[in-house]
Amino acid sequence: MSFAIHPVTKEDEEEWTRLFKLYLVFYKATVSDEIIKSTFQRALDPEIKLWAALAFSNETQKPIGLVNYFSHIQTWDIKDKILLNDLYVDEDARVKGVGRGLIEYVYNHADELGTPEVYWNTDKTNHRAQLLYTKVGVEKGKNSYKRPL
Ligand code: ACO
């Protein structure tokens, strides 16, 4: 499949929101419209180190995939590192290289920023995503914990 990846612009809000909501459905997560709107605005704000990009089909010119990622400070290096937080590809566009393209887009942007470290997390049960992740990354061998609120 032929596609092109671009950072979001304000004109992309409707399609970015469509894809982000499908991603949240995949995770059975409830996020308010207010927060979704705020996340999109943050991705547009050049002062905030959070970015979003969309993959557009070259046939239809429609968005078919999304990636959201942000940069944060760390204690083991002066340089920031990047957390690739959200990745989603429309069901009928999957297994055609779009997910890989979105990850590689983040790698390229991370290099341009001079902060090449990129990492992400996924559910142990998300075998489909891991089929891709083992090809573009290395498994960190860590378990994740969170405060039980
Ligand atoms: N058998 C063998 N290999 C497979 C199979 C299969 N059934 N399915 C996929 N693959 C391989 C493909 O060969 C391909 O590898 P290649 O690039 O070497 O050819 C790879 O897995 C799939 O790569 P893409 O086509 O680039 O990925 P896709 O566009 O399908 O997107 C994604 C993958 C994002 C995980 C998609 O399935 C999706 O949106 N799933 C629902 C949401 C989700 O799980 N998101 C990720 C959560 S983790 C996070 O957000 C950080």
Side-chain angles (χ1 to χ4, degrees):
M1 171 180 265
S2 137
F3 59 90
I5 299 173
H6 303 295
V8 289
T9 65
K10 57 181 180 350
E11 286 72 35
D12 296 320
E13 183 164 10
E14 192 178 326
E15 280 295 303
W16 176 90
T17 301
R18 177 185 73 78
L19 288 160
F20 192 46
K21 284 188 170 175
L22 287 170
Y23 177 73
L24 295 169
V25 167
F26 175 81
Y27 273 107
K28 300 183 177 64
T30 308
V31 176
S32 70
D33 285 347
E34 187 190 359
I35 291 173
I36 292 172
K37 223 171 175 38
S38 153
T39 298
F40 185 75
Q41 291 308 321
R42 285 174 167 178
L44 293 179
D45 187 337
E47 301 296 317
I48 298 178
K49 292 195 243 174
L50 180 147
W51 302 273
L54 294 173
F56 292 81
S57 157
N58 283 338
E59 286 131 57
T60 64
Q61 317 306 322
K62 295 262 186 237
I64 50 175
L66 145 160
V67 65
N68 300 325
Y69 54 105
F70 57 88
S71 188
H72 63 82
I73 58 171
Q74 49 177 332
T75 56
W76 289 13
D77 199 340
I78 303 294
K79 287 183 195 150
D80 277 11
K81 67 182 190 182
I82 288 179
L83 174 58
L84 191 163
N85 205 63
D86 312 310
L87 179 71
Y88 185 84
V89 173
D90 267 331
E91 274 185 32
D92 58 2
R94 288 185 191 161
V95 202
K96 292 173 180 161
V98 181
R100 176 190 280 265
L102 287 162
I103 293 172
E104 288 174 350
Y105 173 89
V106 175
Y107 285 176
N108 288 335
H109 190 196
D111 287 342
E112 281 166 26
L113 292 165
T115 57
E117 271 188 77
V118 178
Y119 72 103
W120 61 94
N121 302 302
T122 198
D123 291 343
K124 286 181 182 163
T125 52
N126 194 344
H127 303 295
R128 180 165 201 173
Q130 289 171 59
L131 286 169
L132 169 63
Y133 297 164
T134 53
K135 292 177 179 168
V136 294
V138 285
E139 215 255 301
K140 293 196 297 176
K142 295 197 186 295
N143 288 327
S144 305
Y145 293 84
K146 64 175 184 177
R147 181 180 177 184
L149 290 173

